Amino acid sequence: MATPKPVAVEAARLTNDLAPYWMPFTANRQFKAQPRLLVGAKGLHYTTADGRRLLDGTAGLWCCNAGHGHPKIVAAIQRQAAEMDYAPAFQMGHPKAFELAARVAALLPGDLDHVFFTNSGSEAVDTALKIALAYHRARGEATRTRLVGRERGYHGVGFGGMSVGGIANNRKSFGPLLSGVDHLPHTHLPEKNAFSRGEPAHGAHLADELERIVALHDASTIAAVIVEPVACSTGVLVPPKGYLKRLRDICSKHGILLILDEVITGFGRLGTSFAAEYFDMLPDLITTAKGLTSGAVPMGAVIARKGIYDAFMTGPEHAIELFHGYTYSGHPLACAAGLAALDVYAEEGLFDNARALSPYWEDAVHALKGLPHVIDLRNLGLIAAIELEPIAGQPAKRAFDAFLRAYDKGLLVRTTGDIIALSPPLTITKAQIDEIFGTLAAVLKETP
């Protein structure tokens, strides 16, 4: 039996000892040598441990759409914690889970009207994949087991999400992953679409690659296709004009479910409730998280079309229809935060604000053209990417250096490879947009 550490040793451990915490998606050694600690957040700003204000250009991690510490969301969480901290999710329920599901469903187009709660986007993706497989089985098409993702796609870090995802560094260390998975080509065509404003003109034909996969395996073996409307985590790859509708048509033609991963694009990021509305198309399943509670409490969800839900509602009424779920599905605190976030979005017109500011944001993004090392600029809604020319033999270093310089100048950005990504809270103003891009311009001029 392992010997526990002496109590005196544990008591003596400093509260700011950085060693025990293995940080996610972080260069741990670099961070712990030069830590960047956040100790407070309000509105569009973080407060650092050394007392500086940091303008949040990334809404936390694409999630704090209503900004930080919104009093209505904070109060809702506090009230719920005092009233009921937890309720079991299996064979029991509580009112706020049903209310939140109804209100989320009301934001979606068509018959996307059944909501399954998870705790994160990763769990939402794995849930959607399982629902797709079980749906075909329930309809007597159990041969439909193949899943199709896309190169450079990001669908979280569960084994299902990694398998359909297409970012090499997220996959290469973890073995063969799920079998029976294919990938569509990504839609990034810089030779034709560099510096596009909004949706690029070229690339809708890339959706036709799904026909090649169907011809290879036969449609009777394919359960679902999953794509992000905008592939954000890989560096904001905006879909070419007509691409998503073309993909929808091919899926419908072959009886394949289409899953839109809207973990980032849901809840106003493009100036509409969801990207499905923005692109005027109807997927079969939508995954979401992040903005669902404005990042205040972890929560995710899958929204399914009525026909998918109904396919499970057969057999004896006392029998469980879907053997899947989580201890914290529909957690009371998360539901309270979600309901308050939806109130804030509506009452403060934050989706409308995002839509109204999108042209101003676009102009600010593209004003960076011509600055040192900038090889592409991309934008849609309140999302942007600044792609930098890599340093030979040192991939990702130039963007990471820019990230550190921006931090020192009071701006938080996100990097992926040699791409700087931006996604501010939807409460942003024109003056704050000017501050973001003024700081970035200064950073780019100084970055070697």
Side-chain angles (χ1 to χ4, degrees):
M1 180 181 295
T3 303
K5 296 181 180 73
V7 173
V9 172
E10 287 301 285
R13 186 184 294 278
L14 297 176
T15 57
N16 63 349
D17 182 357
L18 304 183
Y21 180 31
W22 192 343
M23 301 173 69
F25 280 110
T26 298
N28 276 253
R29 290 163 297 171
Q30 189 280 336
F31 180 94
K32 291 172 184 180
Q34 297 178 313
R36 299 172 295 278
L37 296 174
L38 306 175
V39 298
K42 192 68 178 176
L44 267 86
H45 291 84
Y46 282 107
T47 302
T48 65
D50 56 354
R52 297 185 304 115
R53 290 210 329 153
L54 192 65
L55 180 58
D56 184 4
T58 60
L61 271 176
W62 316 86
C63 53
C64 301
N65 291 3
H68 298 281
H70 194 288
K72 187 159 192 170
I73 299 174
V74 171
I77 296 169
Q78 291 172 332
R79 284 194 305 270
Q80 184 59 53
E83 177 183 294
M84 183 173 65
D85 56 350
Y86 175 77
F90 305 166
Q91 303 288 11
M92 299 296 293
H94 65 93
K96 286 187 174 66
F98 294 92
E99 182 183 355
L100 181 59
R103 290 187 58 185
V104 168
L107 295 174
L108 274 300
D111 60 351
L112 283 158
D113 53 11
H114 290 280
V115 181
F116 193 106
F117 287 121
T118 68
N119 308 295
S120 67
S122 293
E123 288 184 357
V125 166
D126 279 14
T127 297
L129 297 177
K130 288 176 73 175
I131 288 173
L133 294 169
Y135 164 76
H136 288 299
R137 185 180 184 89
R139 295 175 62 250
E141 293 189 72
T143 57
R144 289 186 180 266
T145 60
R146 186 167 292 276
L147 302 169
V148 180
R150 189 168 59 185
E151 296 169 357
R152 295 189 66 168
Y154 179 75
H155 302 291
V157 294
F159 271 93
M162 285 194 301
S163 299
V164 295
I167 298 177
N169 282 342
N170 293 355
R171 296 165 52 91
K172 66 184 182 183
S173 297
F174 307 109
L177 306 179
L178 297 185
S179 61
V181 176
D182 287 78
H183 289 79
L184 295 165
H186 63 71
T187 62
H188 188 41
L189 300 174
E191 68 280 3
K192 291 186 175 181
N193 291 328
F195 299 101
S196 292
R197 288 175 172 255
E199 297 170 72
H202 304 281
H205 69 282
L206 293 169
D208 295 337
E209 284 295 302
L210 181 56
E211 291 281 16
R212 180 188 58 79
I213 294 173
V214 169
L216 177 63
H217 297 292
D218 192 79
S220 66
T221 69
I222 302 174
V225 171
I226 181 168
V227 296
E228 301 155 276
V230 181
C232 292
S233 294
T234 195
V236 186
L237 305 185
V238 180
K241 291 178 181 177
Y243 172 86
L244 289 173
K245 284 190 174 182
R246 203 152 167 176
L247 203 58
R248 169 71 278 181
D249 289 344
I250 297 169
C251 287
S252 297
K253 173 184 173 183
H254 295 292
I256 300 167
L257 297 185
L258 178 60
I259 305 169
L260 282 193
D261 185 342
E262 295 222 37
V263 168
I264 288 174
T265 53
F267 300 100
R269 182 55 51 191
L270 302 185
T272 54
S273 296
F274 285 81
E277 178 186 350
Y278 184 94
F279 292 106
D280 188 27
M281 46 88 69
L282 189 67
D284 300 295
L285 295 161
I286 282 179
T287 62
T288 192
K290 296 189 184 288
L292 176 55
T293 66
S294 193
V297 179
M299 193 179 210
V302 177
I303 305 103
R305 294 184 68 176
K306 183 178 185 299
I308 293 175
Y309 176 82
D310 288 347
F312 290 89
M313 299 301 121
T314 61
E317 288 192 2
H318 69 276
I320 295 170
E321 297 97 0
L322 179 65
F323 282 82
H324 176 73
Y326 303 95
T327 299
Y328 300 117
S329 288
H331 192 285
L333 268 64
C335 289
L339 289 167
L342 293 185
D343 286 342
V344 171
Y345 296 153
E347 292 165 4
E348 300 184 10
L350 295 189
F351 300 175
D352 293 337
N353 188 57
R355 184 165 56 253
L357 284 177
S358 290
Y360 193 87
W361 174 264
E362 180 177 281
D363 287 342
V365 173
H366 287 272
L368 300 178
K369 186 176 182 180
L371 290 182
H373 313 301
V374 175
I375 60 173
D376 195 13
L377 297 162
R378 302 184 285 275
N379 70 281
L380 197 69
L382 288 186
I383 314 175
I386 301 101
E387 186 158 359
L388 305 180
E389 183 180 13
I391 298 173
Q394 299 184 78
K397 188 175 188 306
R398 177 165 279 145
F400 188 69
D401 287 347
F403 161 78
L404 295 176
R405 289 174 185 272
Y407 175 82
D408 288 342
K409 292 179 182 294
L411 173 65
L412 179 63
V413 300
R414 173 141 176 75
T415 63
T416 174
D418 272 298
I419 300 164
I420 299 169
L422 297 167
S423 60
L426 308 185
T427 53
I428 197 167
T429 64
K430 288 183 177 180
Q432 289 162 334
I433 292 174
D434 292 342
E435 183 180 349
I436 287 174
F437 288 98
T439 302
L440 274 177
V443 165
L444 292 171
K445 290 173 184 175
E446 296 173 2
T447 300

